[in-house]
Amino acid sequence: MDFGFAREDEDFRAEARAWLEERLGGPHADPAGRQGLVWERELGAGGWIGIGWDRAHGAYGNRAASLTQQVVWAEEYARAGAPERVGHIGENLLAPTLLAYGDEAQRRRFLPAVARGEELWCQGYSEPDAGSDLAGLRTAAVRDGDVYRISGQKIWTSLAREADWCFVLARTDPGERRHRGLSFLLVPMDQPGRIEVRPIRQMSGAAEFNEVFFDGAVARAGHVVGGEGAGWRVAMGLLALERGVSTLVQQIGFAAELDEVLGAAVRGGALRDPVLRDRLVRQWAELKVMRWNALRTLGAAGDAGAPSVAKLLWGGWHQRLGELAMRVRGAAAASGPADWSAEAPYELDALQRLFLFSRADTIYGGSDEIQRNIIAERVLGLPRGER
């Protein structure tokens, strides 16, 4: 099997690399938080947002690109050490969902703003009692004339403090149960007194996620994607988009983290331990296999288990890497890079943050147990377990 890229892909790579090199030497080298909107607009002006969008309904994105060219762009972006994106939820999740399930008015309203890098989105799926069991959600949306009024709570919502909009899965038919009677609503976040966002402080000291409380928040009736009651179909279609080209760019980040762990092992003398040396070699080999598997399945249609297999592979791999990061440091891993103070109580280095964050890898985005159930039932055809 040929894992290479065609000449036109390499020409595209050269263009992407040159653009990134030119821009990243300027004032956008490290945008963060709301400043990230400046970088999003720079990407939009350069034509680099929405390059993979389906053009069957129109050219809402910036430029056309094949699937392999989308991979090339993602790889070059990661290799350049470009800023973390704040617009990826709108570009990679909301936009393809609107192209597949939305109507023309919704596409005209929202897609150009995403492509220009002007509006940020967050995802309102998980709830305190409905994480992996998404069909058990309790957030309700009641029709009131030309609007829906939403009440409930979402949790683990990334970018909720920065987002302009949130796509929310809510129950619009209280008489139905589980996945029936749900709708997919587009909700503006700027609703004081009706929407409250509370950051969730993690054990690393960061607050990457948020709780979002809806108290009569308003969404237009025309902003229900796919029609009332079609929320489960739309939501599942969106989840299938979470593990596509992004898997390959994620692996580039993993490779950089592995290099850091190897460097620490060399500096600290951990490579003299044959057990640790063997584990490091295994991590390297498994990462290569994950890349080849991702390239093999790229663009494959109808493989219901591929996303779940990929999640199982990278979740466990990354968690083991975090553990190795601490093992190669030995006792030194227990101390931070600076003395503790009340003003800066969470001073951690990169490998310590890797370890703490990777503890959640086998839970978020669908726990390992859920992925195994999907593979067993939808791929292997085994009987469904009791719910």
Side-chain angles (χ1 to χ4, degrees):
M1 182 176 292
D2 182 10
F3 291 111
F5 293 92
R7 170 169 299 210
E8 56 267 27
D9 299 328
E10 294 303 335
D11 291 342
F12 188 85
R13 184 187 302 278
E15 180 185 359
R17 184 174 296 178
W19 189 90
L20 287 165
E21 287 177 351
E22 178 184 352
R23 294 311 188 280
L24 291 178
H28 308 299
D30 188 26
R34 197 62 191 179
Q35 286 181 327
L37 191 56
V38 175
W39 176 242
E40 292 297 321
R41 288 172 174 165
E42 182 79 1
L43 288 169
W48 297 106
I49 298 178
I51 62 174
W53 292 354
D54 181 0
R55 296 198 163 205
H57 301 289
Y60 296 102
N62 281 308
R63 68 176 79 196
S66 66
L67 190 58
T68 51
Q69 287 169 347
Q70 294 171 51
V71 173
V72 165
W73 165 250
E75 289 182 338
E76 290 304 313
Y77 193 91
R79 286 197 179 101
E84 184 175 353
R85 294 287 305 281
V86 294
H88 64 280
I89 294 176
E91 178 186 7
N92 299 323
L93 297 182
L94 185 277
T97 301
L98 289 183
L99 289 166
Y101 303 100
D103 59 36
E104 185 57 28
Q106 292 166 352
R107 290 191 284 264
R108 282 199 310 265
R109 164 59 186 86
F110 294 108
L111 296 185
V114 173
R116 292 192 299 266
E118 293 177 354
E119 289 184 343
L120 303 182
W121 286 80
C122 61
Q123 178 178 6
Y125 274 20
S126 294
E127 298 184 6
D129 295 318
S132 295
D133 182 21
L134 186 59
L137 62 82
R138 297 180 181 178
T139 295
V142 179
R143 182 71 179 261
D144 181 12
D146 293 334
V147 302
Y148 286 85
R149 299 195 180 277
I150 305 167
S151 297
Q153 178 187 358
K154 298 296 181 178
I155 198 168
W156 309 120
T157 310
S158 301
L159 294 175
R161 285 176 289 173
E162 293 81 17
D164 303 291
W165 290 81
C166 181
F167 48 88
V168 176
L169 193 61
R171 190 166 300 282
T172 48
D173 188 344
E176 294 285 3
R177 297 186 59 202
R178 302 294 297 167
H179 59 276
R180 298 181 179 86
L182 301 176
S183 296
F184 189 102
L185 302 101
L186 310 180
V187 184
M189 291 293 287
D190 186 15
Q191 299 191 48
R194 292 175 175 171
I195 296 180
E196 180 186 359
V197 178
R198 298 179 189 171
I200 299 173
R201 183 71 61 184
Q202 300 158 238
M203 62 182 175
S204 65
E208 301 170 42
F209 308 108
N210 305 271
E211 295 177 283
V212 182
F213 297 86
F214 300 93
D215 186 8
V218 173
R220 294 183 185 178
H223 290 171
V224 177
V225 180
E228 184 175 304
W232 186 256
R233 178 172 65 95
V234 176
M236 292 302 99
L238 183 146
L239 288 176
L241 301 167
E242 284 191 311
R243 302 172 193 126
V245 171
S246 60
T247 299
L248 286 162
V249 66
Q250 179 189 56
Q251 291 167 9
I252 297 173
F254 287 171
E257 291 175 336
L258 178 57
D259 285 344
E260 287 190 52
V261 175
L262 286 169
V266 171
R267 292 189 299 272
L271 287 181
R272 291 191 294 268
D273 183 332
V275 175
L276 276 179
R277 190 165 61 243
D278 179 71
R279 287 188 61 183
L280 288 166
V281 171
R282 283 177 177 269
Q283 287 292 123
W284 176 86
E286 289 170 0
L287 183 59
K288 291 293 185 184
V289 171
M290 283 196 293
R291 173 174 172 78
W292 291 331
N293 183 64
L295 287 169
R296 179 183 64 84
T297 59
L298 193 63
D303 189 350
S308 293
V309 171
K311 175 61 169 62
L312 282 173
L313 288 174
W314 72 252
W317 184 92
H318 199 226
Q319 198 169 81
R320 292 191 297 276
L321 181 67
E323 294 165 357
L324 268 175
M326 298 297 97
R327 286 285 302 275
V328 301
R329 298 271 295 279
S335 61
D339 291 338
W340 185 94
S341 71
E343 293 75 25
Y346 290 102
E347 288 295 314
L348 302 172
D349 60 33
L351 295 184
Q352 289 169 328
R353 288 193 295 271
L354 165 64
F355 170 70
L356 291 176
F357 184 85
S358 65
R359 305 317 299 164
D361 281 327
T362 52
I363 300 174
Y364 73 81
S367 69
D368 279 11
E369 291 78 10
I370 294 296
Q371 305 309 327
R372 292 189 179 100
N373 281 344
I374 291 172
I375 294 168
E377 296 170 3
R378 302 182 190 177
V379 180
L380 302 178
L382 298 178
R384 287 175 59 87
E386 290 186 9
R387 295 293 194 270

